[in-house]
Amino acid sequence: MDGCNPDVKYEAKNYKSDVNPIWCPGCGHFGIHAALNRALADLQLDPAKVVVSSGIGCSSRIPAYTTCYGFHGLHGRALPLAIGLKLARPDLTVIVAGGDGDGFSIGGNHFMHACRRNVDITYIVMDNEVYGMTKGQPSPTTPGDWDSDLQPGGTGLHPFRPLGVALQSGANFLARGFSGDVNGLAKLIAQGVRHPGFSMIQALSPCVTFRPEEREWKNQTHSSGMGATADFQEASRRLADDDGLTLGPIYSGDRKPYGSRVAPLTHTKTDLSHIEQEFKI
Ligand SMILES: Cc1ncc(C[n+]2csc(CCOP(=O)(O)OP(=O)(O)O)c2C)c(N)n1
Ligand code: SF4
Protein backbone atom coordinates (compact mmCIF):
# COMPACT_ATOMS: atom_id res chain seq x y z
CA MET A 1 0.00 0.00 0.00
CA ASP A 2 1.24 3.54 -0.83
CA GLY A 3 2.44 5.45 2.22
CA CYS A 4 3.96 2.48 4.10
CA ASN A 5 7.55 2.86 5.27
CA PRO A 6 9.10 -0.60 5.85
CA ASP A 7 11.88 0.87 8.05
CA VAL A 8 9.56 2.29 10.70
CA LYS A 9 7.11 0.55 13.02
CA TYR A 10 4.24 2.91 13.81
CA GLU A 11 2.09 2.66 16.92
CA ALA A 12 -1.27 4.32 17.55
CA LYS A 13 0.41 7.00 19.69
CA ASN A 14 2.48 8.11 16.68
CA TYR A 15 -0.69 9.47 15.06
CA LYS A 16 -1.82 11.44 18.14
CA SER A 17 -0.72 15.08 18.16
CA ASP A 18 0.15 16.96 21.33
CA VAL A 19 -2.95 19.16 20.98
CA ASN A 20 -5.43 18.18 23.71
CA PRO A 21 -8.99 17.63 22.47
CA ILE A 22 -11.46 20.13 23.91
CA TRP A 23 -14.40 17.74 23.60
CA CYS A 24 -16.68 17.40 26.64
CA PRO A 25 -15.60 14.61 29.04
CA GLY A 26 -17.32 11.41 27.87
CA CYS A 27 -17.94 12.62 24.30
CA GLY A 28 -17.99 9.74 21.82
CA HIS A 29 -15.58 11.57 19.53
CA PHE A 30 -12.71 10.49 21.84
CA GLY A 31 -13.38 6.86 20.94
CA ILE A 32 -13.40 7.63 17.22
CA HIS A 33 -10.12 9.50 17.52
CA ALA A 34 -8.59 6.47 19.28
CA ALA A 35 -10.01 4.12 16.64
CA LEU A 36 -8.61 6.23 13.80
CA ASN A 37 -5.14 6.16 15.40
CA ARG A 38 -5.34 2.38 15.84
CA ALA A 39 -6.48 1.88 12.25
CA LEU A 40 -3.59 3.97 10.91
CA ALA A 41 -1.17 1.95 13.04
CA ASP A 42 -2.72 -1.25 11.75
CA LEU A 43 -2.20 0.01 8.20
CA GLN A 44 1.36 1.16 9.08
CA LEU A 45 0.88 4.40 7.15
CA ASP A 46 3.46 7.15 7.34
CA PRO A 47 1.59 10.12 8.93
CA ALA A 48 3.26 12.38 6.35
CA LYS A 49 1.41 10.43 3.65
CA VAL A 50 -2.04 10.72 5.24
CA VAL A 51 -4.40 13.70 5.09
CA VAL A 52 -7.43 14.13 7.34
CA SER A 53 -9.93 16.61 5.93
CA SER A 54 -12.90 17.96 7.88
CA GLY A 55 -15.59 20.61 7.87
CA ILE A 56 -16.90 22.39 10.98
CA GLY A 57 -18.32 20.95 14.21
CA CYS A 58 -17.00 19.39 17.41
CA SER A 59 -16.21 16.27 15.36
CA SER A 60 -14.48 18.26 12.64
CA ARG A 61 -11.76 19.36 15.06
CA ILE A 62 -10.19 15.92 14.65
CA PRO A 63 -7.43 16.82 12.12
CA ALA A 64 -5.73 18.97 14.78
CA TYR A 65 -5.55 15.97 17.08
CA THR A 66 -3.58 13.84 14.63
CA THR A 67 0.01 14.07 13.40
CA CYS A 68 -1.18 13.59 9.82
CA TYR A 69 -1.61 16.49 7.45
CA GLY A 70 -5.00 18.06 8.04
CA PHE A 71 -7.44 20.50 6.61
CA HIS A 72 -10.09 21.99 8.91
CA GLY A 73 -12.16 23.60 6.24
CA LEU A 74 -15.60 25.08 5.65
CA HIS A 75 -18.82 23.67 7.06
CA GLY A 76 -20.00 20.83 4.78
CA ARG A 77 -17.11 21.15 2.33
CA ALA A 78 -14.71 18.46 3.54
CA LEU A 79 -15.62 15.97 0.80
CA PRO A 80 -15.01 18.11 -2.33
CA LEU A 81 -11.72 19.25 -0.89
CA ALA A 82 -10.66 15.66 -0.20
CA ILE A 83 -11.72 14.52 -3.66
CA GLY A 84 -9.69 17.25 -5.36
CA LEU A 85 -6.71 16.40 -3.18
CA LYS A 86 -6.88 12.67 -3.93
CA LEU A 87 -7.16 13.29 -7.67
CA ALA A 88 -4.15 15.62 -7.58
CA ARG A 89 -2.13 13.41 -5.20
CA PRO A 90 -3.20 9.77 -5.65
CA ASP A 91 -0.15 8.69 -3.62
CA LEU A 92 -1.73 10.05 -0.40
CA THR A 93 -4.26 8.29 1.83
CA VAL A 94 -7.15 10.70 2.20
CA ILE A 95 -9.56 10.41 5.11
CA VAL A 96 -12.54 12.68 5.69
CA ALA A 97 -14.08 12.99 9.15
CA GLY A 98 -16.96 15.10 10.43
CA GLY A 99 -20.40 15.22 11.92
CA ASP A 100 -23.86 14.26 10.72
CA GLY A 101 -24.82 17.93 10.53
CA ASP A 102 -21.74 18.79 8.52
CA GLY A 103 -22.09 15.81 6.19
CA PHE A 104 -25.83 15.48 5.66
CA SER A 105 -27.27 18.99 6.11
CA ILE A 106 -25.06 21.65 4.57
CA GLY A 107 -22.83 18.99 2.98
CA GLY A 108 -25.66 16.71 1.83
CA ASN A 109 -25.30 17.43 -1.85
CA HIS A 110 -21.55 16.84 -1.76
CA PHE A 111 -22.14 13.58 0.12
CA MET A 112 -24.45 12.16 -2.53
CA HIS A 113 -22.16 13.12 -5.40
CA ALA A 114 -19.04 11.88 -3.59
CA CYS A 115 -20.71 8.46 -3.45
CA ARG A 116 -21.49 8.64 -7.19
CA ARG A 117 -17.99 9.75 -8.10
CA ASN A 118 -16.38 6.94 -6.11
CA VAL A 119 -12.94 8.48 -5.65
CA ASP A 120 -10.66 6.34 -3.46
CA ILE A 121 -11.14 8.11 -0.11
CA THR A 122 -12.58 7.09 3.27
CA TYR A 123 -15.35 9.04 4.96
CA ILE A 124 -15.88 8.63 8.73
CA VAL A 125 -19.13 10.22 9.84
CA MET A 126 -19.03 10.89 13.58
CA ASP A 127 -22.79 10.60 13.98
CA ASN A 128 -24.30 11.85 17.26
CA GLU A 129 -27.69 12.65 15.74
CA VAL A 130 -27.44 16.30 16.81
CA TYR A 131 -25.55 19.54 16.11
CA GLY A 132 -23.23 19.44 19.12
CA MET A 133 -21.09 22.49 18.48
CA THR A 134 -24.02 24.89 18.04
CA LYS A 135 -25.74 23.63 21.18
CA GLY A 136 -28.15 20.91 20.32
CA GLN A 137 -30.27 21.61 17.24
CA PRO A 138 -31.70 18.51 15.53
CA SER A 139 -29.68 17.20 12.58
CA PRO A 140 -30.88 15.11 9.62
CA THR A 141 -30.28 11.85 11.56
CA THR A 142 -32.14 13.01 14.71
CA PRO A 143 -35.32 11.00 15.36
CA GLY A 144 -38.32 13.15 14.48
CA ASP A 145 -39.86 12.78 17.93
CA TRP A 146 -36.79 13.98 19.87
CA ASP A 147 -38.20 16.66 22.15
CA SER A 148 -35.85 19.49 23.16
CA ASP A 149 -35.97 23.12 24.28
CA LEU A 150 -34.83 24.18 20.81
CA GLN A 151 -37.38 21.99 19.01
CA PRO A 152 -40.32 21.39 21.35
CA GLY A 153 -42.21 18.26 20.33
CA GLY A 154 -39.51 17.26 17.84
CA THR A 155 -39.13 18.04 14.16
CA GLY A 156 -41.72 15.48 13.03
CA LEU A 157 -39.35 14.71 10.15
CA HIS A 158 -38.30 11.31 8.88
CA PRO A 159 -34.65 10.76 9.86
CA PHE A 160 -32.13 10.60 7.03
CA ARG A 161 -30.63 7.12 6.52
CA PRO A 162 -27.10 7.82 5.37
CA LEU A 163 -25.97 4.26 4.63
CA GLY A 164 -29.01 3.56 2.45
CA VAL A 165 -28.49 6.81 0.54
CA ALA A 166 -24.78 6.04 0.16
CA LEU A 167 -25.47 2.54 -1.18
CA GLN A 168 -28.02 3.76 -3.71
CA SER A 169 -25.73 6.62 -4.77
CA GLY A 170 -22.75 4.38 -5.56
CA ALA A 171 -20.49 4.16 -2.49
CA ASN A 172 -18.17 1.16 -2.71
CA PHE A 173 -17.72 0.16 0.96
CA LEU A 174 -20.15 0.68 3.83
CA ALA A 175 -19.98 -0.11 7.53
CA ARG A 176 -21.32 1.05 10.88
CA GLY A 177 -19.23 1.22 14.04
CA PHE A 178 -19.57 2.63 17.55
CA SER A 179 -17.21 4.93 19.45
CA GLY A 180 -17.58 2.68 22.51
CA ASP A 181 -16.13 -0.26 20.57
CA VAL A 182 -12.75 1.20 19.65
CA ASN A 183 -11.23 -2.05 18.40
CA GLY A 184 -14.23 -2.92 16.26
CA LEU A 185 -14.37 0.59 14.81
CA ALA A 186 -10.61 0.61 14.11
CA LYS A 187 -11.01 -2.60 12.10
CA LEU A 188 -13.83 -1.08 10.05
CA ILE A 189 -11.82 2.08 9.35
CA ALA A 190 -8.81 0.02 8.25
CA GLN A 191 -11.06 -2.09 6.00
CA GLY A 192 -12.52 1.08 4.51
CA VAL A 193 -9.09 2.56 3.81
CA ARG A 194 -7.91 -0.67 2.17
CA HIS A 195 -11.01 -0.96 0.00
CA PRO A 196 -10.70 0.88 -3.34
CA GLY A 197 -13.19 3.64 -4.07
CA PHE A 198 -15.42 5.69 -1.78
CA SER A 199 -15.72 4.02 1.63
CA MET A 200 -18.04 5.27 4.30
CA ILE A 201 -18.08 4.32 7.96
CA GLN A 202 -20.97 5.62 10.04
CA ALA A 203 -19.46 5.85 13.52
CA LEU A 204 -22.15 6.27 16.20
CA SER A 205 -20.78 8.74 18.73
CA PRO A 206 -22.83 9.86 21.76
CA CYS A 207 -23.12 13.60 22.40
CA VAL A 208 -23.25 13.30 26.17
CA THR A 209 -24.03 16.99 26.61
CA PHE A 210 -27.02 17.51 24.32
CA ARG A 211 -28.20 13.90 23.87
CA PRO A 212 -27.29 12.29 27.25
CA GLU A 213 -29.71 9.43 26.50
CA GLU A 214 -27.24 8.29 23.82
CA ARG A 215 -25.03 6.93 26.64
CA GLU A 216 -27.42 3.96 26.39
CA TRP A 217 -26.00 3.11 22.97
CA LYS A 218 -23.40 1.02 24.79
CA ASN A 219 -26.23 -1.32 25.81
CA GLN A 220 -28.28 -1.00 22.63
CA THR A 221 -25.71 -1.44 19.86
CA HIS A 222 -25.10 -5.01 18.74
CA SER A 223 -22.99 -6.77 16.16
CA SER A 224 -24.53 -7.98 12.91
CA GLY A 225 -22.29 -11.04 13.21
CA MET A 226 -21.86 -10.87 9.44
CA GLY A 227 -19.14 -9.84 7.04
CA ALA A 228 -19.65 -7.36 4.22
CA THR A 229 -21.61 -8.60 1.24
CA ALA A 230 -20.56 -7.87 -2.33
CA ASP A 231 -24.17 -8.35 -3.43
CA PHE A 232 -25.94 -5.00 -3.90
CA GLN A 233 -29.43 -6.51 -3.46
CA GLU A 234 -28.40 -8.26 -0.26
CA ALA A 235 -26.88 -5.02 1.10
CA SER A 236 -30.11 -3.18 0.21
CA ARG A 237 -32.13 -5.78 2.12
CA ARG A 238 -29.86 -5.51 5.16
CA LEU A 239 -30.23 -1.74 5.20
CA ALA A 240 -33.99 -1.90 4.68
CA ASP A 241 -34.28 -4.07 7.83
CA ASP A 242 -31.74 -1.98 9.73
CA ASP A 243 -32.54 -0.77 13.27
CA GLY A 244 -29.80 1.87 13.13
CA LEU A 245 -27.84 0.24 15.98
CA THR A 246 -26.46 -2.82 14.19
CA LEU A 247 -22.67 -2.74 13.90
CA GLY A 248 -20.31 -4.28 11.39
CA PRO A 249 -19.29 -4.23 7.75
CA ILE A 250 -22.24 -4.08 5.34
CA TYR A 251 -21.23 -3.71 1.73
CA SER A 252 -18.05 -4.24 -0.21
CA GLY A 253 -18.55 -3.41 -3.89
CA ASP A 254 -16.31 -3.76 -6.91
CA ARG A 255 -16.89 -0.49 -8.80
CA LYS A 256 -13.70 0.91 -10.27
CA PRO A 257 -12.70 4.11 -8.45
CA TYR A 258 -13.00 7.36 -10.36
CA GLY A 259 -9.64 8.31 -11.75
CA SER A 260 -8.63 4.78 -12.66
CA ARG A 261 -10.66 4.86 -15.87
CA VAL A 262 -10.27 8.50 -16.88
CA ALA A 263 -8.50 8.58 -20.25
CA PRO A 264 -5.11 10.31 -20.22
CA LEU A 265 -5.01 13.72 -21.89
CA THR A 266 -3.86 13.12 -25.45
CA HIS A 267 -3.98 16.68 -26.68
CA THR A 268 -3.11 20.04 -25.19
CA LYS A 269 -5.50 22.27 -27.10
CA THR A 270 -9.17 21.81 -27.90
CA ASP A 271 -10.56 23.47 -30.99
CA LEU A 272 -13.71 25.30 -29.92
CA SER A 273 -14.06 27.51 -33.02
CA HIS A 274 -17.23 25.72 -34.17
CA ILE A 275 -18.88 26.51 -30.81
CA GLU A 276 -17.73 30.13 -31.04
CA GLN A 277 -19.34 30.33 -34.49
CA GLU A 278 -22.60 28.87 -33.18
CA PHE A 279 -22.92 31.50 -30.44
CA LYS A 280 -21.68 34.44 -32.51
CA ILE A 281 -24.15 37.35 -32.48
C1 LIG B 1 -21.94 28.07 6.68
C2 LIG B 1 -22.11 27.74 8.13
N1 LIG B 1 -23.36 27.53 8.61
C3 LIG B 1 -23.55 27.22 9.90
C4 LIG B 1 -22.47 27.13 10.74
C5 LIG B 1 -22.70 26.82 12.20
N2 LIG B 1 -22.34 25.47 12.57
C6 LIG B 1 -21.10 25.18 13.04
S1 LIG B 1 -20.93 23.58 13.46
C7 LIG B 1 -22.54 23.25 13.01
C8 LIG B 1 -23.13 21.86 13.15
C9 LIG B 1 -22.21 20.87 13.72
O1 LIG B 1 -22.86 19.63 13.89
P1 LIG B 1 -22.22 18.29 13.43
O2 LIG B 1 -21.61 18.42 12.08
O3 LIG B 1 -23.25 17.24 13.57
O4 LIG B 1 -20.99 18.08 14.42
P2 LIG B 1 -20.92 17.91 16.01
O5 LIG B 1 -20.65 19.28 16.53
O6 LIG B 1 -22.21 17.35 16.49
O7 LIG B 1 -19.78 16.98 16.19
C10 LIG B 1 -23.17 24.38 12.53
C11 LIG B 1 -24.57 24.43 12.07
C12 LIG B 1 -21.18 27.35 10.20
N3 LIG B 1 -20.08 27.23 10.95
N4 LIG B 1 -21.03 27.65 8.90
S1 SF4 C 1 -21.15 19.18 22.64
FE1 SF4 C 1 -21.53 17.01 22.27
S2 SF4 C 1 -20.40 16.56 20.37
FE2 SF4 C 1 -19.59 18.50 21.18
S3 SF4 C 1 -17.83 17.91 22.44
FE3 SF4 C 1 -19.60 18.03 23.80
S4 SF4 C 1 -20.41 15.94 23.90
FE4 SF4 C 1 -19.07 16.06 22.11
Side-chain angles (χ1 to χ4, degrees), residues 23 27 29 56-60 74-75 98-103 106 126-134 137 139 207:
W23 294 316
C27 174
H29 298 344
I56 299 291
C58 299
S59 37
S60 290
L74 289 175
H75 196 30
D100 40 296
D102 187 80
I106 192 167
M126 302 160 75
D127 190 352
N128 53 18
E129 301 182 358
V130 76
Y131 290 4
M133 179 173 263
T134 47
Q137 299 89 351
S139 87
C207 173

Coordinates of all heavy atoms in Angstrom, one line a residue, residues 23 27 29 56-60 74-75 98-103 106 126-134 137 139 207, ligand 1:
W23 N -13.1 18.3 23.5 CA -14.4 17.7 23.6 C -14.8 17.6 25.1 O -14.0 17.5 26.0 CB -14.4 16.4 22.9 CG -14.1 16.4 21.5 CD1 -14.7 17.2 20.5 CD2 -13.3 15.5 20.7 NE1 -14.2 17.0 19.3 CE2 -13.3 15.9 19.3 CE3 -12.4 14.4 21.0 CZ2 -12.6 15.3 18.3 CZ3 -11.7 13.8 20.0 CH2 -11.8 14.2 18.7
C27 N -17.5 12.5 25.7 CA -17.9 12.6 24.3 C -17.5 11.4 23.5 O -16.3 11.0 23.6 CB -17.4 13.9 23.7 SG -17.7 14.1 21.9
H29 N -16.6 11.3 20.5 CA -15.6 11.6 19.5 C -14.2 11.1 20.0 O -13.3 10.8 19.2 CB -15.6 13.1 19.2 CG -16.9 13.6 18.6 ND1 -17.8 12.7 18.0 CD2 -17.3 14.8 18.4 CE1 -18.8 13.5 17.5 NE2 -18.6 14.7 17.8
I56 N -16.8 21.6 9.7 CA -16.9 22.4 11.0 C -17.9 21.6 11.9 O -18.9 21.1 11.5 CB -17.4 23.8 10.7 CG1 -16.5 24.6 9.8 CG2 -17.7 24.6 12.1 CD1 -15.2 25.0 10.4
G57 N -17.5 21.6 13.2 CA -18.3 21.0 14.2 C -17.4 20.5 15.3 O -16.1 20.5 15.1
C58 N -17.9 20.0 16.4 CA -17.0 19.4 17.4 C -16.2 18.3 16.8 O -14.9 18.2 16.9 CB -17.8 18.8 18.6 SG -18.8 20.0 19.4
S59 N -16.9 17.4 16.0 CA -16.2 16.3 15.4 C -15.1 16.7 14.4 O -14.1 16.1 14.3 CB -17.3 15.5 14.6 OG -18.2 16.4 14.0
S60 N -15.4 17.8 13.7 CA -14.5 18.3 12.6 C -13.2 18.8 13.2 O -12.3 19.2 12.4 CB -15.2 19.3 11.8 OG -16.2 18.7 11.0
L74 N -14.3 24.4 5.5 CA -15.6 25.1 5.7 C -16.7 24.1 6.0 O -16.6 22.9 5.6 CB -16.0 25.8 4.3 CG -15.2 27.0 3.9 CD1 -15.6 27.4 2.5 CD2 -15.3 28.1 4.9
H75 N -17.7 24.5 6.7 CA -18.8 23.7 7.1 C -19.4 23.0 5.8 O -19.8 23.6 4.9 CB -19.9 24.5 7.7 CG -20.9 23.8 8.5 ND1 -20.6 22.6 9.2 CD2 -22.2 24.1 8.8 CE1 -21.7 22.2 9.8 NE2 -22.7 23.1 9.6
G98 N -16.1 14.0 10.0 CA -17.0 15.1 10.4 C -18.3 14.6 10.9 O -18.6 13.4 10.9
G99 N -19.1 15.6 11.3 CA -20.4 15.2 11.9 C -21.5 15.0 10.9 O -21.4 15.2 9.7
D100 N -22.7 14.5 11.5 CA -23.9 14.3 10.7 C -24.5 15.6 10.2 O -25.0 15.6 9.1 CB -24.9 13.5 11.5 CG -25.0 14.0 13.0 OD1 -24.0 13.8 13.7 OD2 -26.0 14.5 13.4
G101 N -24.3 16.6 11.0 CA -24.8 17.9 10.5 C -24.0 18.4 9.4 O -24.5 18.8 8.3
D102 N -22.7 18.4 9.5 CA -21.7 18.8 8.5 C -21.9 18.0 7.2 O -22.0 18.6 6.1 CB -20.3 18.6 9.1 CG -19.2 19.1 8.2 OD1 -19.0 20.3 8.2 OD2 -18.6 18.3 7.4
G103 N -22.1 16.7 7.4 CA -22.1 15.8 6.2 C -23.4 15.7 5.5 O -23.5 15.6 4.3
I106 N -25.7 20.7 5.5 CA -25.1 21.6 4.6 C -24.2 20.9 3.5 O -24.1 21.3 2.4 CB -24.2 22.7 5.4 CG1 -23.8 23.8 4.5 CG2 -23.1 22.1 6.1 CD1 -23.3 25.0 5.2
M126 N -19.0 11.0 12.1 CA -19.0 10.9 13.6 C -20.5 11.3 14.0 O -20.7 12.5 14.3 CB -17.9 11.8 14.2 CG -16.6 11.4 13.7 SD -15.3 12.6 13.8 CE -14.9 12.6 15.5
D127 N -21.4 10.3 14.0 CA -22.8 10.6 14.0 C -23.3 10.6 15.4 O -23.5 9.5 16.0 CB -23.5 9.6 13.1 CG -25.0 9.9 12.9 OD1 -25.5 10.9 13.5 OD2 -25.6 9.2 12.0
N128 N -23.7 11.8 15.9 CA -24.3 11.8 17.3 C -25.8 12.3 17.2 O -26.4 12.6 18.2 CB -23.5 12.8 18.2 CG -23.2 14.1 17.6 OD1 -23.9 14.5 16.6 ND2 -22.3 14.9 18.1
E129 N -26.3 12.3 16.0 CA -27.7 12.6 15.7 C -28.1 14.0 16.4 O -29.2 14.2 16.9 CB -28.6 11.5 16.2 CG -28.3 10.2 15.5 CD -29.2 9.1 16.0 OE1 -30.1 9.3 16.9 OE2 -29.1 8.0 15.4
V130 N -27.2 15.0 16.3 CA -27.4 16.3 16.8 C -26.3 17.2 16.3 O -25.3 16.8 15.9 CB -27.5 16.3 18.4 CG1 -26.1 16.2 19.0 CG2 -28.3 17.5 18.9
Y131 N -26.6 18.6 16.3 CA -25.6 19.5 16.1 C -25.0 19.8 17.5 O -25.6 20.6 18.3 CB -26.1 20.9 15.6 CG -26.6 20.9 14.2 CD1 -26.7 19.8 13.4 CD2 -27.0 22.1 13.6 CE1 -27.2 19.9 12.1 CE2 -27.5 22.2 12.4 CZ -27.6 21.1 11.6 OH -28.1 21.2 10.3
G132 N -23.8 19.2 17.8 CA -23.2 19.4 19.1 C -22.7 20.8 19.3 O -23.0 21.6 20.2
M133 N -21.8 21.2 18.3 CA -21.1 22.5 18.5 C -22.0 23.7 18.6 O -21.7 24.6 19.4 CB -20.2 22.7 17.3 CG -19.4 24.0 17.4 SD -18.2 24.2 16.1 CE -16.7 23.6 16.9
T134 N -23.1 23.7 18.0 CA -24.0 24.9 18.0 C -25.1 24.7 19.1 O -26.2 25.3 19.0 CB -24.6 25.3 16.7 OG1 -25.1 24.1 16.0 CG2 -23.5 25.9 15.8
Q137 N -29.2 21.6 18.2 CA -30.3 21.6 17.2 C -30.4 20.2 16.6 O -29.4 19.5 16.5 CB -30.1 22.6 16.1 CG -30.0 24.1 16.5 CD -28.5 24.5 16.9 OE1 -27.6 23.6 17.0 NE2 -28.4 25.8 17.1
S139 N -30.4 17.4 13.9 CA -29.7 17.2 12.6 C -30.5 16.3 11.7 O -31.6 15.8 12.1 CB -28.3 16.6 12.9 OG -28.4 15.2 12.9
C207 N -23.3 12.2 21.9 CA -23.1 13.6 22.4 C -23.7 13.6 23.8 O -24.9 13.7 24.0 CB -23.8 14.6 21.5 SG -23.8 16.3 22.2
Ligands
LIG1 C1 -21.9 28.1 6.7 C2 -22.1 27.7 8.1 N1 -23.4 27.5 8.6 C3 -23.5 27.2 9.9 C4 -22.5 27.1 10.7 C5 -22.7 26.8 12.2 N2 -22.3 25.5 12.6 C6 -21.1 25.2 13.0 S1 -20.9 23.6 13.5 C7 -22.5 23.2 13.0 C8 -23.1 21.9 13.1 C9 -22.2 20.9 13.7 O1 -22.9 19.6 13.9 P1 -22.2 18.3 13.4 O2 -21.6 18.4 12.1 O3 -23.2 17.2 13.6 O4 -21.0 18.1 14.4 P2 -20.9 17.9 16.0 O5 -20.6 19.3 16.5 O6 -22.2 17.3 16.5 O7 -19.8 17.0 16.2 C10 -23.2 24.4 12.5 C11 -24.6 24.4 12.1 C12 -21.2 27.4 10.2 N3 -20.1 27.2 11.0 N4 -21.0 27.7 8.9

